[in-house]
């Protein structure tokens, strides 16, 4: 998009992005979108395994783009005309192909509400792109990022300082893609002056992914949910069937088929390797066992 100011919020491995795009939706259009969505979307309060959500949401998307997180599975409503227009603007700003963002979780935070604790988004069903593009409308809000515990970007064990703090304004988009959710977590703290805000988190969910996983005997989400979920960030090692990578890839990998692309820094507990197979990116997480040496902990 011509004249769009962009800022990379963190230095990440090839194929991953955490980028702020200023003014993806401009001035009057952003204000009009906020007014329309606030009054017209069917806002509801959901309950997940952590309890009742502290904000209202509405979920939209392509057919079969179920979004599952924290024990909650959301089926999409059909796109509204306003959301389709905004999706096109966000995709253009992010340099994504039309239709790459297949779903949208809308979050409604009233005046003086909406503290969003440190968390990472669940992206297991988000395909190879693993994209979450958050469009902010209404009041501005601080956005912070830091390394996840034990993440490969950690320069030293225990180092978890805030890497970046910016103010997201009406019409701004924060794009997180690739391995960003595995390496970073984010927070939107609440200031006394913060007013009514709507966040649209557009997502690259693969249609039918959750249904196929359920049919194969997969369990509920292990990781954190969408922006401002009901409490926890979840955690635990990703299971092979729960990875956020390439959809419909086989359940096992032949190591001789992998070529190491770029080793990443790691702490003493884990290592992450970015490899390729037949031109596709594959991320492997290694976990170490004191007595038994090193084993593969899961494909990410």
């Amino acid at each position: 998009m011509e004249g769009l100011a962009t800022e990379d919020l963190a230095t990440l491995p090839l194929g991953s992005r955490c980028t702020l795009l200023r003014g993806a939706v401009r001035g009057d259009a952003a204000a009009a979108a906020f007014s329309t969505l606030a009054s017209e979307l069917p806002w509801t309060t959901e309950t997940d395994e952590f309890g009742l959500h502290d904000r209202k949401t509405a979920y939209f998307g392509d057919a079969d783009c179920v979004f599952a997180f924290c024990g909650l599975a959301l089926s999409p409503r059909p796109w509204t005309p306003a959301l389709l227009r905004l999706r096109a603007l966000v995709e253009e700003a992010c340099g994504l192909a039309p239709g790459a963002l297949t779903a949208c979780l809308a979050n409604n935070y009233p005046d003086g509400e909406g503290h969003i604790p440190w968390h990472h988004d669940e992206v297991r069903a988000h395909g190879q792109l693993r994209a979450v593009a958050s469009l902010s409308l209404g009041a501005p809000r601080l956005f912070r990022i830091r390394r996840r515990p034990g993440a490969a970007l950690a320069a030293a064990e225990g180092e978890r300082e805030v890497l970046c703090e910016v103010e997201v304004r009406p019409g701004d988009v924060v794009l997180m893609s690739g391995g960003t959710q595995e390496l970073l977590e984010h927070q939107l703290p609440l200031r006394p002056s913060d007013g009514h805000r709507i966040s649209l988190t557009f997502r690259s969910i693969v249609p039918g992914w959750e249904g196929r996983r359920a049919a194969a005997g997969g369990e509920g989400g292990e990781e954190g949910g969408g922006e401002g979920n009901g409490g926890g960030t979840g955690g635990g090692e990703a299971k092979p069937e729960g990875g956020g990578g390439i959809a419909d890839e086989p359940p096992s990998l032949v190591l001789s088929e992998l070529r190491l692309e770029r080793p990443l820094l790691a702490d003493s507990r884990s290592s992450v390797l970015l490899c390729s197979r037949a031109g596709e990116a594959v991320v492997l997480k290694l976990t170490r066992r004191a007595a038994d040496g090193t084993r593969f902990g899961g494909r990410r």
Side-chain angles (χ1 to χ4, degrees):
M1 183 178 292
E2 185 177 355
L4 189 67
T6 64
E7 178 184 354
D8 289 329
L9 304 181
T11 302
L12 295 172
L14 185 66
S16 300
R17 292 179 65 186
C18 184
T19 303
L20 173 65
L21 302 106
R22 291 285 190 197
V25 179
R26 304 294 173 88
D28 290 345
F34 173 79
S35 178
T36 296
L37 298 177
S39 61
E40 294 184 0
L41 292 191
W43 299 106
T44 59
T45 304
E46 302 285 355
T47 301
D48 63 24
E49 62 190 18
F50 295 100
L52 190 68
H53 286 190
D54 59 0
R55 90 288 193 195
K56 294 184 181 297
T57 60
Y59 182 60
F60 301 85
D62 296 349
D64 293 329
C65 285
V66 173
F67 181 33
F69 62 94
C70 298
L72 176 65
L74 300 177
S75 296
R77 296 173 181 269
W79 293 99
T80 70
L83 287 174
L84 284 174
R85 289 192 295 270
L86 293 170
R87 178 178 72 162
L89 292 174
V90 171
E91 288 172 336
E92 181 183 2
C94 295
L96 300 175
L101 300 174
T102 58
C104 176
L105 179 65
N107 302 272
N108 192 342
Y109 305 100
D111 288 348
E113 298 181 20
H115 167 72
I116 302 171
W118 288 109
H119 73 287
H120 59 281
D121 280 21
E122 170 64 84
V123 291
R124 70 184 186 202
H126 288 52
Q128 183 175 359
L129 185 59
R130 286 178 287 172
V132 180
S134 298
L135 170 63
S136 192
L137 299 169
R141 186 65 60 87
L142 291 180
F143 178 86
R144 296 171 178 163
I145 57 173
R146 70 180 183 186
R147 301 175 180 91
R148 280 183 59 182
L153 288 179
E157 189 167 350
E159 184 177 329
R160 298 189 65 209
E161 77 279 5
V162 173
L163 298 178
C164 182
E165 177 181 283
V166 295
E167 185 177 70
V168 290
R169 303 162 191 156
D172 289 351
V173 169
V174 175
L175 170 65
M176 296 176 283
S177 62
T180 300
Q181 304 297 339
E182 296 177 349
L183 300 172
L184 303 175
E185 56 186 9
H186 51 283
Q187 175 200 50
L188 285 84
L190 183 66
R191 300 169 294 188
S193 60
D194 284 336
H196 190 185
R197 172 177 176 264
I198 291 175
S199 170
L200 303 179
T201 57
F202 292 94
R203 299 170 176 275
S204 59
I205 291 177
V206 177
W209 195 97
E210 290 292 346
R212 292 191 294 273
R213 183 173 188 267
E219 298 178 354
E222 299 88 10
E223 301 195 8
E227 180 179 290
N229 66 66
T233 59
E237 185 176 292
K239 300 176 182 177
E241 74 273 17
I246 303 162
D248 296 326
E249 60 185 340
S252 62
L253 297 173
V254 178
L255 298 185
S256 62
E257 295 178 359
L258 297 178
R259 179 168 61 88
L260 179 64
E261 293 286 346
R262 183 175 180 178
L264 307 178
L265 296 176
D267 63 20
S268 60
R269 295 184 301 276
S270 65
S271 301
V272 176
L273 303 177
L274 178 61
C275 309
S276 68
R277 179 190 59 191
E280 295 179 328
V282 178
V283 181
L284 299 179
K285 181 178 179 181
L286 302 178
T287 59
R288 303 185 184 278
R289 296 186 295 194
D292 300 326
T294 302
R295 65 178 177 84
F296 280 99
R299 183 176 69 254
R300 305 292 277 190

